[in-house]
Amino acid sequence: MASKDQLILGYWNIRGFAEPSRLLLQYKKVPFTNKLYNFGDAPDFKRDEWLNEKNSLGLDFPNLPYLIDGDLKLSQAKTILTHLGRKFQLMGNNEVETSLIELLIDQSSDLRQELNNVCYRAINFEAVKKKFCDETLPVHLKLFEDFLTKNGKKWIISDTLTAADFQLFEYLDHCWLLSNDNWAEYPKVSAYMQAFRELSELKKYLESEHAKRPINGKMAKFGGLVVQHVEKKKEEPAKVDENQQPPTA
């Protein structure tokens, strides 16, 4: 039974915008109540589970995700993540690091919002997905690749994990699931992602509950069900038969 002082993190039964905070709590081995709300089925995808509680939780700005930490009740995903970062000493060791952590949280949020537009709002999904993967995503990946190279640390800001890492990994992973590429042009990003997946504090969670939860709501055009990264095989050039005679006029 949960303690009265135990943290309560409320969100849809998806990874979405709350998973960075879940990852942080799992990493720090903090007991918390993972309050999950489910969407109804198509075509309405009703939100009754949430709406029936929305105005009874004492939230000043009722929304998902929310965090109840004793008498403190918060909504907004980035606010929750940075609150947890401060609470568990994951917001850097000085003002410069804290500012860079906040920058990376905002930067990765921009990427996730671009992905949201593809997954939820695209009319011609395949065309919009292709443009995102071919044009939008590479711009973001190059920025993160360059930052990792310039900073020269094990993680995005320092040699120890910060709140920014939980969000950056999670939102990059959402893009990885959509992408058919292997990201070979971004070796620093790829190594960063693999190192995060191998964290002993998170490996079990990443391979179980995390892997079994969809990244988006069931009404999304992508990610409403659990998906795996599928790398598109590159077409091999046609083999030339050296014995074949050239055509005659």
Side-chain angles (χ1 to χ4, degrees):
M1 184 174 178
S3 159
K4 145 176 117 163
D5 297 323
Q6 186 164 301
L7 295 171
I8 302 172
L9 181 60
Y11 193 57
W12 300 112
N13 190 10
I14 62 174
R15 285 162 58 181
F17 296 129
E19 195 66 13
S21 290
R22 293 188 190 124
L23 287 170
L24 185 155
L25 291 170
Q26 292 285 345
Y27 175 75
K28 296 297 289 186
K29 301 192 183 315
V30 179
F32 72 101
T33 299
N34 189 25
K35 175 65 176 175
L36 301 174
Y37 298 90
N38 293 290
F39 293 104
D41 293 327
D44 299 323
F45 304 109
K46 290 184 177 180
R47 302 182 299 153
D48 291 353
E49 283 192 17
W50 160 238
L51 295 177
N52 290 339
E53 288 190 6
K54 180 177 179 179
N55 295 313
S56 64
L57 298 170
L59 296 166
D60 292 316
F61 301 94
N63 204 349
L64 293 175
Y66 66 77
L67 179 76
I68 299 176
D69 183 1
D71 293 331
L72 180 64
K73 299 181 179 183
L74 299 172
S75 50
Q76 298 295 339
K78 290 186 290 183
T79 297
I80 291 168
L81 181 62
T82 53
H83 168 73
L84 294 173
R86 289 189 295 272
K87 186 178 180 78
F88 299 108
Q89 293 77 53
L90 291 167
M91 286 299 290
N93 297 314
N94 52 59
E95 187 176 341
V96 170
E97 285 189 0
T98 299
S99 294
L100 288 174
I101 290 165
E102 292 170 340
L103 167 64
L104 266 294
I105 288 173
D106 276 334
Q107 189 67 33
S108 53
S109 290
D110 286 352
L111 173 59
R112 187 58 174 85
Q113 191 55 56
E114 296 267 17
L115 180 66
N116 239 35
N117 292 336
V118 177
C119 295
Y120 285 100
R121 299 181 180 90
I123 296 174
N124 185 343
F125 172 72
E126 289 301 329
V128 175
K129 171 190 170 183
K130 186 176 188 309
K131 183 174 181 180
F132 174 82
C133 291
D134 292 350
E135 300 178 21
T136 305
L137 181 56
V139 171
H140 286 271
L141 291 175
K142 180 68 163 55
L143 288 171
F144 292 127
E145 180 77 12
D146 290 348
F147 190 89
L148 283 163
T149 302
K150 173 187 172 183
N151 219 27
K153 303 295 184 181
K154 180 177 181 180
W155 303 107
I156 193 67
I157 299 297
S158 70
D159 289 325
T160 57
L161 287 166
T162 68
D165 290 294
F166 300 99
Q167 180 161 298
L168 179 60
F169 167 81
E170 179 64 18
Y171 290 175
L172 284 174
D173 195 50
H174 294 186
C175 295
W176 172 251
L177 292 173
L178 179 74
S179 171
N180 297 129
D181 194 10
N182 61 10
W183 294 7
E185 293 179 39
Y186 313 101
K188 295 285 188 184
V189 170
S190 296
Y192 171 88
M193 296 291 285
Q194 188 57 37
F196 194 97
R197 292 187 182 102
E198 295 298 325
L199 283 166
S200 59
E201 298 90 342
L202 285 174
K203 191 172 176 61
K204 182 178 178 181
Y205 175 74
L206 289 171
E207 293 175 351
S208 55
E209 186 178 343
H210 179 269
K212 296 174 183 175
R213 187 169 286 134
I215 63 171
N216 289 321
K218 60 172 68 174
M219 70 291 292
K221 296 178 174 66
F222 177 85
L225 300 173
V226 175
V227 292
Q228 302 294 327
H229 172 79
V230 178
E231 190 175 322
K232 186 177 180 180
K233 293 182 179 179
K234 294 183 179 180
E235 295 182 3
E236 296 183 1
K239 293 182 179 179
V240 177
D241 186 350
E242 297 178 356
N243 299 318
Q244 184 177 350
Q245 297 295 320
T248 55

